[in-house]
Amino acid sequence: MELKNKKWTHDEFNAIRKEVLTHWPTGSEVNFEEAVKYHENIPAKRHFAKRLVKAKNNGETLTQPRAGVALIDEHINLLNFLKNEGEADLLPSTIDSYTRQNQYKEAQNGIEESLKAGRSLLNGFPAVNHGVKGVRRVVESVDAPLQVRHGTPDARLLGEITIAAGYTSYEGGGISYNIPYAKSVSLERTIYDWQYCDRMIGLYAEHGVEINREPFGPLTGTLVPPSVSHAVAVIEGILAAEQGVKNITLGYGQCGNLVQDIAAIKALEQLADEYMAKHGYNDTVLTTVFHQWMGGFPQDEAKAFGVISWGAAAAALAKATKVIVKTPHEALGIPTKEANAQGLRTTKQMINMLKDQSFPMTKELEIEINMIKAETRCILDKVFELGNGDYAVGTVRAFEAGVLDVPFAPSKFSLNKILPARDNNGAVRLFDVGNLPFTPDIVAFHKDKMNERAKAEGREASFQMVIDDIYAISKGNLVGRPR
């Protein structure tokens, strides 16, 4: 395995594909030529990439939940409920934890126990075990665009089966499905394995079948500064484009300050266009996804609806192409289908009320956009330099040096030196910039913002602010003020 950001040849890909399809017996059901013909007959209204392009052109913000259960019929019923009762525009199949760890035997046991119990005993849909035939039953029973959502470091077989079955969008990436999810899986390994996934989707594109790819934007979902998540998003977008992916959705997790959140989506669009063009990927369609608050939620359902509504408003005013919706059961565990639909309808109502309104380009918003772009460029350009012109190699070296760093990540390959906290207006800043390659004026900007809050609160800027902010929203606030 030699890691480099270079498109794999057909021979390189096919040599590995033979081995990947043996990882579980259902791999034998994958027939690429048959899958291409099947995709050619999927109507536009059920095609993820086409629906996103239509939304982007029309200025729409589409809604999408998370959802998945163990058994096929129950999964079909769940998705149709969320479409009909939740008014969801796009639908997911969220994959179970065993499949995410490639533990297909345990997933099979979960299916069998679920059949005995008459209810799902898995926290998602075990697509690999159901195979192409089983997964295609879902595709043919749900009249909406479908995406695979998971959290899998090695998602090669999952990708082969679900795309062959007719799914038209695939989430994840070699950085975003490693650093926030795994402890001891090397970046070289996951970036390489996700090059396989991207090359597979690139092969479909070569045969006229456009599959949407979506790196996971929020990362750890806890006070992640926009520039950190944007840097990862742009890198994963570039890695996908190099392997031939033509339709990419880049994501961002809500921080909570409205101006910063709107600025983040606008900056992400501009940075993605800039860096894709800079490196010659001019035929890639780019869209955005806004994730409603990924941190701790209030247990009180009424308060949870407040958090959901705020995320919906931010997504609508930012003009994100789609929004990933939370539920009022977020603090309690896996939601009921009714609670999931409630979150969707709440979001849809807010989007519909705001769709004809625009947020003015204020001086504050302009400053925020420019700061996010400046910070992100510092990181991206240093990664490119460390890799001697190769983003794949540079990413590995950047994490080793702390040039790329994700706060509160479980991975031992992230230095975890940066410490985010909110400023006096609730925007996410850096209490400690760690080894991020920021210019002195950017470092000073963050320090000034933290000192401004400290003065307002009558206390020293300290690690306690970080702790207070992590729990603030679940306790009913945005900024973790001292009592």
Side-chain angles (χ1 to χ4, degrees):
M1 180 183 77
E2 182 187 357
L3 183 65
K4 54 186 175 181
N5 183 34
K6 184 179 180 181
K7 181 186 283 189
W8 292 13
T9 66
H10 290 189
D11 288 344
E12 288 170 333
F13 176 80
N14 287 327
I16 297 174
R17 182 180 233 170
K18 289 179 182 177
E19 188 263 332
V20 167
L21 295 180
T22 66
H23 289 180
W24 190 253
T26 52
S28 64
E29 297 176 14
V30 174
N31 181 319
F32 181 76
E33 289 74 20
E34 187 276 336
V36 168
K37 292 178 182 177
Y38 185 82
H39 273 274
E40 289 173 349
N41 293 311
I42 294 176
K45 65 178 181 178
R46 284 171 41 205
H47 194 282
F48 220 97
K50 291 177 182 176
R51 186 66 186 92
L52 288 172
V53 170
K54 181 180 177 182
K56 181 177 181 178
N57 291 338
N58 294 340
E60 297 177 84
T61 298
L62 305 176
T63 58
Q64 182 180 350
R66 294 179 174 87
V69 292
L71 305 177
I72 293 173
D73 289 339
E74 285 77 1
H75 189 60
I76 291 168
N77 292 338
L78 172 60
L79 295 184
N80 281 324
F81 184 89
L82 295 176
K83 178 180 184 293
N84 297 326
E85 299 299 322
E87 303 173 19
D89 299 305
L90 308 166
L91 289 170
S93 283
T94 302
I95 304 301
D96 69 289
S97 293
Y98 286 130
T99 301
R100 297 181 189 200
Q101 299 302 316
N102 311 115
Q103 296 174 352
Y104 308 127
K105 184 177 180 181
E106 289 81 357
Q108 189 62 40
N109 291 337
I111 292 171
E112 293 166 5
E113 292 299 318
S114 296
L115 285 167
K116 292 177 185 176
R119 63 186 179 89
S120 179
L121 297 178
L122 294 175
N123 64 346
F125 183 65
V128 168
N129 295 72
H130 289 310
V132 174
K133 296 174 185 177
V135 175
R136 191 167 285 182
R137 280 179 54 199
V138 177
V139 172
E140 296 182 345
S141 301
V142 179
D143 192 24
L146 290 171
Q147 179 184 51
V148 183
R149 302 189 70 87
H150 43 122
T152 312
D154 179 3
R156 295 174 295 174
L157 182 58
L158 176 65
E160 288 278 11
I161 286 172
T162 53
I163 301 303
Y167 275 67
T168 52
S169 179
Y170 201 64
E171 188 198 25
I175 309 166
S176 59
Y177 268 7
N178 177 345
I179 298 299
Y181 283 91
K183 180 180 180 180
S184 302
V185 182
S186 76
L187 272 168
E188 292 98 331
R189 181 77 257 170
T190 53
I191 292 173
Y192 190 80
D193 287 345
W194 273 91
Q195 284 181 318
Y196 177 100
C197 296
D198 288 329
R199 190 69 194 102
M200 174 191 69
I201 288 169
L203 286 175
Y204 276 98
E206 290 173 14
H207 287 76
V209 175
E210 195 168 356
I211 306 295
N212 171 254
R213 276 281 291 113
E214 179 190 329
F216 180 62
L219 302 176
T220 50
T222 306
L223 303 178
V224 179
S227 59
V228 170
S229 60
H230 284 13
V232 172
V234 171
I235 290 168
E236 290 192 325
I238 288 171
L239 295 179
E242 174 62 26
Q243 297 302 329
V245 177
K246 301 301 181 185
N247 189 289
I248 300 171
T249 302
L250 300 183
Y252 164 76
Q254 180 184 11
C255 284
N257 174 283
L258 184 62
V259 172
Q260 185 177 46
D261 285 334
I262 293 172
I265 288 293
K266 293 185 180 299
L268 179 57
E269 290 179 308
Q270 294 169 20
L271 285 162
D273 286 340
E274 174 186 332
Y275 276 82
M276 286 288 187
K278 180 180 179 180
H279 295 291
Y281 307 112
N282 297 307
D283 59 347
T284 303
V285 176
L286 295 169
T287 50
T288 56
V289 52
F290 185 95
H291 293 252
Q292 290 178 355
W293 176 245
M294 294 286 290
F297 255 66
Q299 292 190 15
D300 182 283
E301 288 192 20
K303 293 181 179 180
F305 278 120
V307 178
I308 291 167
S309 297
W310 190 233
L317 291 171
K319 306 299 181 186
T321 320
K322 72 170 184 174
V323 57
I324 303 296
V325 177
K326 288 291 191 174
T327 83
H329 289 179
E330 189 65 31
L332 306 175
I334 298 174
T336 63
K337 66 181 187 295
E338 291 81 9
N340 210 335
Q342 285 177 324
L344 284 161
R345 291 200 305 273
T346 299
T347 299
K348 177 75 76 173
Q349 175 72 14
M350 186 65 75
I351 289 172
N352 287 342
M353 291 170 64
L354 290 171
K355 64 184 179 182
D356 299 315
Q357 302 182 47
S358 59
F359 195 87
M361 180 56 75
T362 62
K363 184 178 179 181
E364 184 183 6
L365 179 59
E366 187 177 3
I367 289 171
E368 199 66 47
I369 292 171
N370 289 336
M371 180 55 66
I372 293 170
K373 288 167 66 175
E375 291 178 16
T376 308
R377 287 191 189 106
C378 286
I379 298 172
L380 288 172
D381 294 348
K382 191 64 177 179
V383 171
F384 194 65
E385 177 188 324
L386 288 171
N388 297 318
D390 187 303
Y391 279 109
V393 175
T395 295
V396 175
R397 293 173 181 170
F399 270 100
E400 290 172 350
V403 165
L404 274 170
D405 199 357
V406 177
F408 317 117
S411 174
K412 67 182 183 182
F413 298 102
S414 183
L415 291 189
N416 274 306
K417 290 189 71 172
I418 63 172
L419 286 174
R422 297 189 183 277
D423 68 14
N424 204 41
N425 295 316
V428 172
R429 309 299 181 191
L430 284 161
F431 170 71
D432 189 335
V433 300
N435 294 349
L436 297 182
F438 290 165
T439 57
D441 61 315
I442 293 176
V443 175
F445 172 84
H446 284 271
K447 186 175 181 179
D448 290 346
K449 288 292 185 180
M450 296 311 304
N451 287 337
E452 180 185 340
R453 173 182 168 184
K455 183 178 180 181
E457 293 179 353
R459 61 169 169 170
E460 293 292 321
S462 70
F463 181 67
Q464 187 61 44
M465 288 180 173
V466 181
I467 298 171
D468 293 342
D469 289 342
I470 289 172
Y471 293 103
I473 288 181
S474 64
K475 294 180 177 180
N477 298 289
L478 179 64
V479 184
R481 308 286 189 189
R483 292 182 180 179

